[in-house]
């Protein structure tokens, strides 16, 4: 039994389910539910603009959550943390704000393994500006081809956008090395940390990136909230991307003056309870021994790989491995979506399909695959349920 499982009420209520779809979204610990509940019951008011005490209290809680995020990702300044709806919106924000720096002479470098959220915003920016999107392929073993990356990044490159952890392969990209190559050409580095923050201790300074994006809901926080971290001096050079209340210093009939970052990028009333919930989620993570959690997840991942190997007829997607508990595979002769349906009937929740990574699937010549993604609250019995379910699927379908 996982030592952390008891923190998650849903898992107590749905005890029979082996929830192995954590890369899609995680379950929420009691402290997150309590923090959000307490906001609505005791502190609910709009932030920043109120003259009353309730508004001041809500603002204090909201800004405290921003400070928690800043501390959590490497003791940075709170004004480098922009609230967004999630990783997708964070990347769209940067892609939109970089449009004035793009043009037919500029490149945007991405990788074949990116989630659509780290591809489509760049395609859209390229369509608007005539910039070229260049994609770095993977090696035969399914790792990022660093030689090809060094070849693709040049003085034409405006931005390199890369996942910290792949949502399909589970591998951890060498962000520090990528940052060195990127900086040598004066380009910016955006890291998609959606799958990293739930598992790794992230230090954006050590990584050497310029922007870091992640979603609350994959890291034990609520949906609808996310973060864009950006270097202070860089955020100051970028324009607003959405207009409205909150993001302005003054408004005239003939124009407006935007606020300083991060508020410049936060038009309209934010998801106040969401930010407070994320703050509580990160404090929950900080209350654990992260090394112990990673070792636990790593052991479960090894167990999963061993048990899949023993089952036979399982083709793992990518042969490179890491200690991140994301394992994708196919079962010989069986369609991935049929496996998902049969597993569901047996109380095992996995994800099947292209995992919002169609270019990766195309490069691997796969129509899709099954993904089992584990978390700190899973245990050996969840792995055994999955393997048993795969055996049943094979008996029924072959
Ligand atoms: N990037 C990666 C690597 C992801 O795995 C995901 C979601 O699965 C996203 C981006 C998009 O996250 P969201 O839908 O929370 O914006």
């Amino acid at each position: 039994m996982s030592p952390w499982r008891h923190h998650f009420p849903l898992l107590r209520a749905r005890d029979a389910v082996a929830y192995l779809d954590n890369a899609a979204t995680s379950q929420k610990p009691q402290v997150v539910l309590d923090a959000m509940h307490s906001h609505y019951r005791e502190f609910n008011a709009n932030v920043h603009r109120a003259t009353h005490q309730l508004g001041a209290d809500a603002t204090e809680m909201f800004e405290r959550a921003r400070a928690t995020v800043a501390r959590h990702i490497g003791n940075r300044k709170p004004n480098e943390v922009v609230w967004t709806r999630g990783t997708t919106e964070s990347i769209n924000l940067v892609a939109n704000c970089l449009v004035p720096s793009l043009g037919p002479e500029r490149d945007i470098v991405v990788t074949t393994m990116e989630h659509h959220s780290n591809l489509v915003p760049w395609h859209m920016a390229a369509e608007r500006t005539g910039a070229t999107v260049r994609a770095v392929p993977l090696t035969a073993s399914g790792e990022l081809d660093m030689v090809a990356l060094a070849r693709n990044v040049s003085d034409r490159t405006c931005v390199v956008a890369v996942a910290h952890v792949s949502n399909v392969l589970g591998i951890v990209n060498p962000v520090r090395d990528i940052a060195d190559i990127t900086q040598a050409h004066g380009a910016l580095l955006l890291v998609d940390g959606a799958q990293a923050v739930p598992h790794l201790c992230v230090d954006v300074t050590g990584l050497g990136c310029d922007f870091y994006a992640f979603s609350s809901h994959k890291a034990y926080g609520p949906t609808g909230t996310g973060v864009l971290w950006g270097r202070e001096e860089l955020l100051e050079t970028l324009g607003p991307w959405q207009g409205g209340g909150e993001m302005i210093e003054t408004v005239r009939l003939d124009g407006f003056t935007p606020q300083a970052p991060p508020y410049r990028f936060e038009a309209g009333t934010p998801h106040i309870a969401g930010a407070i919930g994320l703050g509580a989620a990160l404090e929950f993570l900080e209350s654990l021994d992260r090394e112990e959690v990673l070792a636990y997840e790593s052991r479960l991942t090894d167990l999963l790989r061993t048990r899949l190997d023993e089952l036979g007829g399982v083709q793992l997607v990518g042969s490179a491995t890491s200690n991140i508990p994301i394992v994708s595979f196919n079962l010989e002769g069986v369609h991935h979506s049929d496996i998902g349906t049969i597993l569901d009937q047996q109380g095992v929740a996995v994800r099947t399909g292209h995992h919002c990574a169609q270019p990766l699937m195309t490069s691997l010549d796969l129509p899709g695959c099954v993904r089992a993604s584990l978390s700190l609250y899973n245990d050996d019995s969840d792995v055994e349920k999955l393997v048993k379910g795969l055996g049943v699927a094979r008996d029924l379908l072959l």
Side-chain angles (χ1 to χ4, degrees):
M1 181 74 139
S2 156
W4 305 288
R5 193 176 173 91
H6 67 277
H7 291 291
F8 295 83
L10 180 139
L11 299 173
R12 286 202 301 269
R14 308 282 294 259
D15 199 29
V17 177
Y19 184 73
L20 303 178
D21 196 15
N22 293 285
T25 200
S26 65
Q27 299 305 336
K28 319 303 172 199
Q30 185 69 51
V31 283
V32 168
L33 307 181
D34 289 347
M36 296 181 72
H37 202 199
S38 142
H39 164 73
Y40 284 122
R41 282 171 58 129
E42 298 163 47
F43 301 102
N44 180 48
N46 211 331
V47 289
H48 297 144
R49 286 165 292 199
T51 47
H52 47 78
Q53 188 56 43
L54 207 49
D57 291 346
T59 303
E60 193 193 324
M61 306 287 274
F62 179 69
E63 291 301 331
R64 198 186 296 166
R66 194 191 302 270
T68 300
V69 172
R71 181 186 68 231
H72 189 80
I73 57 175
N75 285 321
R76 300 295 307 199
K77 293 184 187 163
N79 64 356
E80 294 184 318
V81 171
V82 180
W83 294 118
T84 64
R85 285 190 300 128
T87 311
T88 304
E89 190 173 74
S90 299
I91 298 172
N92 274 280
L93 187 165
V94 177
N96 273 273
C97 290
L98 288 182
V99 159
S101 310
L102 293 167
E105 304 306 318
R106 305 305 308 268
D107 290 346
I108 298 162
V109 176
V110 295
T111 85
T112 308
M113 75 177 84
E114 296 312 310
H115 188 281
H116 296 165
S117 294
N118 202 20
L119 285 174
V120 182
W122 301 115
H123 283 312
M124 290 167 72
E127 273 173 19
R128 282 168 68 186
T129 60
T132 304
V133 176
R134 302 172 76 92
V136 179
L138 309 189
T139 62
S141 60
E143 284 166 310
L144 188 60
D145 185 337
M146 289 298 285
V147 176
L149 184 125
R151 237 187 358 251
N152 274 281
V153 179
S154 72
D155 292 350
R156 285 174 51 104
T157 308
C158 171
V159 58
V160 176
V162 62
H164 193 173
V165 170
S166 159
N167 67 311
V168 178
L169 307 168
I171 56 170
V172 184
N173 284 319
V175 174
R176 181 68 249 184
D177 297 343
I178 299 169
D180 290 343
I181 295 170
T182 304
Q183 276 164 16
H185 292 281
L188 299 171
L189 176 60
L190 176 139
V191 177
D192 170 353
Q195 299 295 346
V197 172
H199 305 291
L200 301 175
C201 291
V202 171
D203 171 13
V204 292
T205 314
L207 289 173
C209 57
D210 298 292
F211 301 106
Y212 196 92
F214 69 96
S215 299
S216 156
H217 70 98
K218 295 181 196 286
Y220 310 108
T223 51
T225 300
V227 167
L228 172 71
W229 170 83
R231 277 193 297 109
E232 185 180 28
E233 61 277 20
L234 190 56
L235 290 180
E236 272 162 12
T237 66
L238 299 177
W241 76 302
Q242 288 177 340
E246 285 279 318
M247 50 73 72
I248 44 84
E249 191 70 56
T250 56
V251 180
R252 306 168 302 280
L253 283 179
D254 64 351
F256 70 98
T257 307
Q259 281 222 57
Y263 307 108
R264 178 188 299 172
F265 303 103
E266 296 176 357
T269 300
H271 185 358
I272 303 164
I276 289 168
L278 174 58
L282 298 181
E283 279 171 5
F284 167 75
L285 275 176
E286 289 172 5
S287 75
L288 310 178
D289 178 339
R290 299 297 301 279
E291 299 247 320
E292 186 189 351
V293 173
L294 189 58
Y296 179 88
E297 291 181 342
S298 177
R299 188 195 61 77
L300 266 190
T301 313
D302 286 346
L303 174 70
L304 173 57
R305 283 211 187 85
T306 307
R307 298 290 289 119
L308 289 176
D309 189 46
E310 286 166 3
L311 187 67
V314 173
Q315 296 147 340
L316 292 179
V317 177
S319 51
T321 58
S322 79
N323 52 5
I324 302 292
I326 299 177
V327 178
S328 297
F329 57 91
N330 274 302
L331 207 51
E332 244 163 53
V334 185
H335 195 271
H336 51 84
S337 59
D338 293 340
I339 297 175
T341 306
I342 292 173
L343 286 176
D344 180 49
Q345 288 163 358
Q346 297 172 81
V348 180
V350 294
R351 179 61 54 122
T352 65
H354 55 60
H355 311 288
C356 294
Q358 282 179 346
L360 175 63
M361 292 298 140
T362 305
S363 80
L364 298 170
D365 202 18
L366 291 173
C369 58
V370 182
R371 179 184 70 191
S373 51
L374 293 81
S375 177
L376 51 82
Y377 40 68
N378 291 119
D379 54 32
D380 297 19
S381 69
D382 294 324
V383 172
E384 295 309 332
K385 257 190 183 169
L386 169 67
V387 174
K388 187 167 165 230
L390 290 171
V392 172
R394 194 162 50 192
D395 290 347
L396 283 172
L397 296 167
L398 281 182

